[in-house]
Amino acid sequence: MECVFGMVGKEFAVVVADSSAVHSILVHKSNEDKIMLLDSHKLMGASGEPGDRAQFTEYVQKNVALYHFRNGIPLTTAAAANFTRGELATALRKNPYSVNIVLAGYDKGIGPSLYYIDYIATLHKVDKAAFGYGSYFSLAMMDRHYHKDMSVEEAIELVDKCIIEIRSRLVVAPPNFVIKIVDKDGAREYAWRESVKDAPSVA
Amino acid sequence: MARYDRAITVFSPDGHLFQVEYALEAVRKGNAAVGVRGTDTIVLGVEKKSTVKLQDSRSVRKIVNLDDHIALACAGLKADARVLINKARIECQSHRLTVEDPVTVEYITRYIAGLQQKYTQSGGVRPFGLSTLIVGFDPYTDVPSLYQTDPSGTFSAWKANATGRNSNSMREFLEKNYKETSGQETIKLAIRALLEVVESGGKNIEVAVMTKEHGLRQLDEAEIDAVVAEIEAEKAAAEAAKKAPARES
């Protein structure tokens, strides 16, 4: 029941992901970070097969870094999205990755952008995106309340509304979420929304 | 001896690999390059030929980043350098991907030297015509390192070294004047060594400084000119001091 969603605001983009790592009926951990920093100004939130998720996002991250060293300038968000889609497409009919991705980035001169990339290499540039069962609720919530050029406060309010819907309406709702934001100052963690914390270790 | 330098795989009767030695000649004709290791700073300096007026100098970077914490300068065939640098950059990222750790300076030097050696023992290929100076700070331990590789594939660590044109004079200078330095003193020492063999002036040398906090930073012409001016002033003061006592006696 992994949830990843994101939206574009005024001069920033935000990506939210649940943080539970689940195997069958067991929750391994509930503070797993599923949003990877591709570089200083890009976020890649991913959901799907845990092994593929980690492996594929790290692979994209290292290739983005390699491009930066080879060419002296970083990839644009659009280029990174197209590279990611290309890798998924190449692997699709041989050895497919089961990963759904929401890619957010900020480019000087272009502003914030968000890309929806699903596991069969669909690529869409969008204002709001969501994956998983949680998408039924978060997409509906965003369709109702989203408008262009929201401020950070408005966007986080909307994110919290989505999280509340997921928590209350999804049968096996993930307890904790991580919110990351990217703007002209870079990509960084914004907040956690935790309803279940790890038990404090015995001294 | 002329019959033994066509195919690299052939030894000469007296145990020489002529192609490797010829490659070292190519290095000796390349531009001068110097590297100096300080306690918290490592400096790379390279000679720049200033005769090309119409060329956009930003497109000819002679000191390059291999990773956030590793830099490389070289002397010799620049086209061969591009190939080695590209392979090294891929290896830096590949290492990060497989073991989730950045490379150590020794690891990437060993990798580059290994590549250079491979091309001395394969059919139909010639050795890479360049020697490299590789600098960086090891992750976690923050130890600064300077390594040198050459076309034969040997490598070793150095406190300071020079390669390319007139490298012997530069190395002699460094042997006489090396001492443990940090920060600006390291930069001065590297530039002083380069000035032994290069026409003085900011437009004739390219200098880059690597520190733990800021990674690789290329010095701009103005900064280099300032250090050169300092060095010349010190030299003039030393000359004057030498002359003064002689006059008194």
Side-chain angles (χ1 to χ4, degrees), chain B residues 208-224:
Chain B
V209 182
M210 169 149 286
T211 50
K212 185 72 202 160
E213 306 78 39
H214 304 274
L216 188 72
R217 189 174 68 90
Q218 307 269 2
L219 296 187
D220 56 30
E221 234 185 86
E223 279 182 273
I224 301 175

Side-chain angles (χ1 to χ4, degrees), chain B residues 149-227:
Chain B
T149 74
D150 65 25
S152 65
T154 51
F155 72 93
S156 50
W158 295 76
K159 295 180 189 159
N161 201 359
T163 179
R165 251 174 8 107
N166 303 121
S167 56
N168 286 327
S169 336
M170 286 194 281
R171 209 171 298 121
E172 254 179 67
F173 174 85
L174 287 167
E175 278 171 17
K176 257 194 277 192
N177 294 284
Y178 180 83
K179 54 184 199 307
E180 287 283 310
T181 53
S182 70
Q184 193 66 11
E185 285 303 309
T186 319
I187 302 175
K188 248 206 264 188
L189 183 56
I191 296 184
R192 274 169 68 202
L194 253 187
L195 288 179
E196 291 284 308
V197 304
V198 173
E199 247 181 75
S200 90
K203 36 185 185 41
N204 295 316
I205 51 182
E206 193 178 306
V207 181
V209 182
M210 169 149 286
T211 50
K212 185 72 202 160
E213 306 78 39
H214 304 274
L216 188 72
R217 189 174 68 90
Q218 307 269 2
L219 296 187
D220 56 30
E221 234 185 86
E223 279 182 273
I224 301 175
D225 278 331
V227 181

Side-chain angles (χ1 to χ4, degrees), chain A residues 24-121:
Chain A
S24 166
I25 57 166
L26 174 69
V27 178
H28 278 299
K29 60 193 291 210
S30 37
N31 59 355
E32 170 88 351
D33 187 351
K34 297 180 191 171
I35 307 180
M36 170 153 284
L37 260 57
L38 280 192
D39 71 12
S40 61
H41 286 73
K42 288 180 194 47
L43 288 173
M44 177 177 264
S47 71
E49 205 62 56
D52 281 350
R53 171 172 44 78
Q55 174 72 351
F56 184 71
T57 55
E58 282 177 16
Y59 174 72
V60 173
Q61 186 195 53
K62 301 305 183 250
N63 271 282
V64 168
L66 184 61
Y67 181 96
H68 193 0
F69 283 112
R70 272 188 176 146
N71 299 285
I73 51 167
L75 275 169
T76 58
T77 310
N82 277 281
F83 169 74
T84 306
R85 191 212 83 88
E87 290 297 310
L88 286 168
T90 308
L92 181 62
R93 291 176 203 271
K94 285 203 179 91
N95 206 355
Y97 292 104
S98 304
V99 202
N100 295 310
I101 287 165
V102 173
L103 179 75
Y106 186 94
D107 303 299
K108 219 164 72 157
I110 298 174
S113 44
L114 190 73
Y115 288 86
Y116 169 104
I117 308 170
D118 78 7
Y119 71 105
I120 38 179

Side-chain angles (χ1 to χ4, degrees), chain B residues 130-149:
Chain B
L130 70 146
S131 291
T132 69
L133 288 169
I134 301 165
V135 300
F137 288 87
D138 277 346
Y140 306 123
T141 57
D142 293 347
V143 171
S145 309
L146 165 67
Y147 283 84
Q148 191 209 34
T149 74

Side-chain angles (χ1 to χ4, degrees), chain A residues 54-55 57-63 65-66 69-71, chain B residues 65-69 86 89-91 93-94 96-97 100:
Chain A
Q55 174 72 351
T57 55
E58 282 177 16
Y59 174 72
V60 173
Q61 186 195 53
K62 301 305 183 250
N63 271 282
L66 184 61
F69 283 112
R70 272 188 176 146
N71 299 285
Chain B
N65 256 328
L66 294 184
D67 203 341
D68 294 322
H69 60 304
N86 193 32
R89 281 172 169 160
I90 293 175
E91 180 61 21
Q93 295 306 313
S94 178
R96 279 180 185 256
L97 187 58
E100 272 205 26

